[in-house]
Amino acid sequence: MKDFWKNVLATIVGMMIVSVLFFFILISSLASLSLSNPTAKAEDNSVLTLMLSGQVVECSEENPFTMLTGQISESIGLNDIISAIKKAKADKNIKGIYLEAGLFAADSPASSHAIREALLDFKASGKWIVAYADTYTQNTYYICSVADKVMLNPHGSIDWHGLAAQPYFVKDLLAKFGVKFQLSKVGKYKSAPETMTADKMSDPNREQVSAYINGIWQVMLADVAKSRKISVDSLNSFADHFTAFDEPSALKQKKLVDELMYTNEVKDVIKKLLKTDKPIHQLTVSDMVNMPSADDDGGDKIAVYYAYGDIVDSETGDIMQQTHNIVATTVCKDLEELTNDDDVKAVVLRVNSPGGSAYASEQIWHAVTQLKAKKPVVVSMGGYAASGGYYISCASNYIIAEPTTITGSIGIFGMFPDFSGLLTDKLGVKFDEVKTNRHAAFGTPARPFNAEEMAMIDSYIDRGYKLFRQRVADGRKLPVDKVEEIAQGRVWLGNDALKIKLVDAIGSLDDAVKKAAELAKSKEYHTAAYPEPADWMEQLMNTANRGSYLDEEMHAALGEYYEPLRFVKTISQRSAIQARLPYFVTIK
């Protein structure tokens, strides 16, 4: 028996030693990967190959596990794509870009527009672009239509069908669990709560959604019409007849594509453009990211601070799994450091956010005002800069939006879950009460708010709305009554926001950098991205804490239906007072 326990103990100790050794091997491997930074080089007659597949996010984030295993990340940063195209334009050895369209999902129409504009700028240098796909989705066709030659598999298709918005409504789903929400909001267009409290779109919400999806579609139509030399009327007619079912030869007759060919024939087209018979030297986005830029460190420093995702109060509380967030405590600290950094002459705040916590938005607004007091602040709006996203933007010196940026939504709401139906009716939990003061049990899950309590909440929400409205009036130098006319939670497209002075100009992130340099009176400058990337150990810890394998499997299985179910799962983690867009906006 004594020998038995000795063997058991020896086995346990052995397993512990193996585990420790494995851990150190893992750490060493990750450390060596993080220290290596291979620099690619463009040989003469090189081609940038841009694979339009995976999910585009605002800013790239390295995953240490994919680094270790050699897997290809399913997401790619918009910043990396734009940077790669700019470097390819400047490099005399890179003669053209090859676009290969696959299953590609941008985080917003504005991101697709930004990629397309960068490609147009590349073409302006006199270089060529060739695009190919077995099947073009509407989004990839919109981007690839900029190419000099658009080619398609002889049995391929183009999905060109127009846009549709499909908001989610989960009130009845929550009711099955005995959960309902009590709502207080300001703004007839403030539609975010409808997801939880209604079963269809309100008339004001339908009005604004119709306005912005039609606005986005008009931009897409105009861009494709100009590149492909097809009338807008014809493109609309093609969409009405759903081109995905057209014969490929008909797509060529409609001038949607130039040639029908197989992949090996595409190589011949590119070799002809390169005037060579040698193998094609291809560079990827990753290769281009690792190549130095001509303006990496010359002149004054212009900081580009990326603020994207939901606006949340802190790392704990309403931070969501598997998503990037604008964490108020972190952002305020970062902006304070930029305020005190004398090497930074101006800051571009790149905002891509549907909003979130009203309190967190106010904290970040305050940090922006302090930053602005010492140096110019220019906001570059990405796909979304709405509600809380607009709140943190309005104090800047200058705002530049993409034409299809979704912005505005100046309004606030509070949603408070009532679990009494779940606890009492379904689970049979009974409550009694003893209290010292009139409102001592305020917020109890045992019952919904009474009329007096809701009146107090309404007053609080109204006060928050008036503060938001005043922040906009002060930042945009508009009378409060003028802000009220364009507020009420109304969502505006970038092009329309320009007309009502919510933004100052339509343009790209590069345009925002140029404006920031102009305000800082910097004739020579370079940009530096913030916040700085986390070290490999922090990345490892963040990856480990971002959700379970089960969450990833559910997301893959449920697709777009995962979001409303995830929301139900994380109700208790969200701040009750919100300044944000609808929770689930799907534009198809």
Side-chain angles (χ1 to χ4, degrees):
M1 190 66 179
K2 188 175 181 180
D3 290 338
F4 171 77
W5 287 113
K6 282 183 179 180
N7 291 332
V8 170
L9 181 61
T11 302
I12 294 172
V13 171
M15 291 175 65
M16 290 175 64
I17 292 172
V18 170
S19 298
V20 170
L21 287 173
F22 176 78
F23 176 77
F24 278 109
I25 291 171
L26 174 64
I27 296 300
S28 299
S29 300
L30 290 172
S32 64
L33 283 170
S34 66
L35 291 172
S36 64
N37 186 23
T39 301
K41 183 179 178 181
E43 300 177 4
D44 187 31
N45 263 3
S46 293
V47 175
L48 170 59
T49 297
L50 182 54
M51 304 295 291
L52 296 179
S53 59
Q55 173 72 48
V56 170
V57 295
E58 179 62 38
C59 197
S60 59
E61 292 183 5
E62 288 186 346
N63 185 321
F65 287 113
T66 60
M67 290 169 61
L68 182 65
T69 61
Q71 293 177 344
I72 298 174
S73 175
E74 292 183 359
S75 65
I76 182 170
L78 176 64
N79 60 329
D80 283 348
I81 295 174
I82 301 299
S83 175
I85 296 171
K86 285 173 60 179
K87 289 178 181 179
K89 175 188 174 183
D91 195 318
K92 64 180 181 180
N93 290 324
I94 298 177
K95 307 302 182 183
I97 291 178
Y98 169 59
L99 302 173
E100 185 169 301
L103 294 176
F104 181 74
D107 62 346
S108 66
S111 292
S112 297
H113 182 267
I115 295 169
R116 198 177 191 281
E117 288 295 298
L119 291 169
L120 278 172
D121 183 61
F122 176 88
K123 279 183 65 176
S125 68
K127 299 183 179 184
W128 50 262
I129 299 177
V130 170
Y132 178 82
D134 292 324
T135 298
Y136 287 100
T137 65
Q138 183 164 264
N139 188 36
T140 56
Y141 184 76
Y142 170 66
I143 295 170
C144 291
S145 64
V146 75
D148 298 278
K149 291 182 179 293
V150 178
M151 296 172 289
L152 178 69
N153 185 293
H155 299 284
S157 64
I158 296 176
D159 185 5
W160 184 256
H161 58 268
L163 299 179
Q166 296 179 316
Y168 290 98
F169 302 94
V170 297
K171 183 190 74 170
D172 293 344
L173 172 64
L174 295 175
K176 294 180 185 298
F177 298 94
V179 177
K180 61 183 179 180
F181 278 86
Q182 296 176 97
L183 170 66
S184 177
K185 71 166 186 170
V186 180
K188 68 177 183 178
Y189 291 98
K190 199 65 182 174
S191 58
E194 291 179 5
T195 304
M196 303 294 126
T197 61
D199 53 17
K200 65 178 182 179
M201 300 169 73
S202 64
D203 290 340
N205 188 27
R206 188 175 297 277
E207 175 191 348
Q208 69 178 350
V209 172
S210 177
Y212 72 66
I213 67 166
N214 276 288
I216 293 169
W217 183 237
Q218 291 306 313
V219 170
M220 292 177 67
L221 287 171
D223 288 345
V224 175
K226 185 175 180 179
S227 292
R228 297 300 304 166
K229 296 180 174 55
I230 304 173
S231 71
V232 168
D233 287 344
S234 294
L235 288 171
N236 262 321
S237 176
F238 298 161
D240 286 338
H241 289 87
F242 207 80
T243 60
F245 300 126
D246 280 359
E247 288 283 348
S249 58
L251 298 174
K252 185 176 179 180
Q253 290 175 356
K254 292 175 178 178
K255 299 182 180 179
L256 290 172
V257 297
D258 297 298
E259 299 292 343
L260 302 175
M261 60 179 62
Y262 292 100
T263 51
N264 64 311
E265 296 171 307
V266 176
K267 293 179 183 178
D268 295 333
V269 171
I270 294 177
K271 285 182 178 181
K272 187 175 181 181
L273 289 168
L274 293 173
K275 299 177 182 178
T276 183
D277 289 327
K278 297 179 180 179
I280 301 166
H281 184 252
Q282 300 181 67
L283 294 164
T284 66
V285 170
S286 296
D287 293 330
M288 299 302 295
V289 167
N290 288 327
M291 290 174 63
S293 176
D295 59 351
D296 271 348
D297 51 17
D300 293 335
K301 182 191 289 188
I302 308 296
V304 178
Y305 190 91
Y306 288 88
Y308 59 102
D310 285 357
I311 299 174
V312 300
D313 297 301
S314 63
E315 288 287 1
T316 57
D318 47 11
I319 191 166
M320 305 298 290
Q321 293 179 343
Q322 298 183 338
T323 57
H324 187 280
N325 293 288
I326 302 172
V327 183
T329 51
T330 302
V331 173
C332 289
K333 180 181 177 182
D334 290 345
L335 295 183
E336 182 181 3
E337 290 177 359
L338 290 174
T339 301
N340 297 325
D341 189 341
D342 293 334
D343 291 334
V344 174
K345 304 304 179 185
V347 176
V348 173
L349 185 62
R350 173 67 174 184
V351 178
N352 189 351
S353 172
S357 166
Y359 179 76
S361 300
E362 168 69 13
Q363 293 286 5
I364 297 172
W365 171 90
H366 178 67
V368 172
T369 60
Q370 291 182 309
L371 175 60
K372 178 185 171 184
K374 291 196 67 173
K375 57 196 67 174
V377 180
V378 175
V379 165
S380 169
M381 292 181 168
Y384 302 91
S387 203
Y390 191 80
Y391 201 130
I392 68 176
S393 302
C394 66
S396 61
N397 296 89
Y398 203 81
I399 299 176
I400 298 179
E402 295 278 356
T404 54
T405 295
I406 293 177
T407 187
S409 193
I410 302 164
I412 289 180
F413 66 89
M415 285 201 308
F416 307 91
D418 172 14
F419 294 106
S420 59
L422 170 64
L423 295 172
T424 303
D425 298 338
K426 294 188 179 295
L427 300 180
V429 179
K430 306 298 182 182
F431 293 89
D432 207 338
E433 187 173 277
V434 176
K435 59 185 180 180
T436 60
N437 295 87
R438 186 171 183 174
H439 300 296
F442 184 88
T444 174
R447 59 169 177 79
F449 294 125
N450 59 39
E452 183 181 8
E453 290 166 339
M454 280 305 301
M456 290 190 294
I457 291 171
D458 288 341
S459 177
Y460 179 73
I461 298 295
D462 187 60
R463 189 164 72 248
Y465 173 69
K466 288 178 180 177
L467 177 63
F468 189 174
R469 190 178 60 187
Q470 189 63 53
R471 298 300 190 216
V472 175
D474 294 341
R476 301 304 300 165
K477 296 179 174 57
L478 293 170
V480 171
D481 58 350
K482 185 65 177 177
V483 175
E484 178 64 14
E485 291 177 9
I486 57 178
Q488 290 288 321
R490 177 72 184 259
V491 173
W492 301 94
L493 216 54
N495 279 338
D496 298 321
L498 178 64
K499 300 172 187 175
I500 57 176
K501 299 183 179 180
L502 285 179
V503 305
D504 297 294
I506 299 298
S508 64
L509 176 57
D510 275 351
D511 294 322
V513 171
K514 291 174 185 175
K515 185 64 181 181
E518 175 191 323
L519 294 176
K521 299 179 181 178
S522 298
K523 293 183 179 179
E524 293 185 6
Y525 58 90
H526 68 280
T527 60
Y530 293 86
E532 295 179 353
D535 60 37
W536 60 269
M537 178 59 80
E538 188 176 348
Q539 291 177 30
L540 181 64
M541 294 300 101
N542 288 342
T543 302
N545 290 327
R546 269 198 180 178
S548 67
Y549 176 73
L550 179 59
D551 286 327
E552 294 178 358
E553 288 293 291
M554 286 182 64
H555 200 173
L558 297 174
E560 64 190 74
Y561 301 106
Y562 171 75
E563 290 297 333
L565 293 177
R566 184 176 68 121
F567 179 83
V568 174
K569 175 186 175 184
T570 55
I571 285 173
S572 62
Q573 294 176 299
R574 291 184 178 268
S575 176
I577 311 301
Q578 295 274 310
R580 64 165 298 145
L581 283 176
Y583 288 101
F584 317 113
V585 176
T586 303
I587 300 177
K588 293 186 175 181

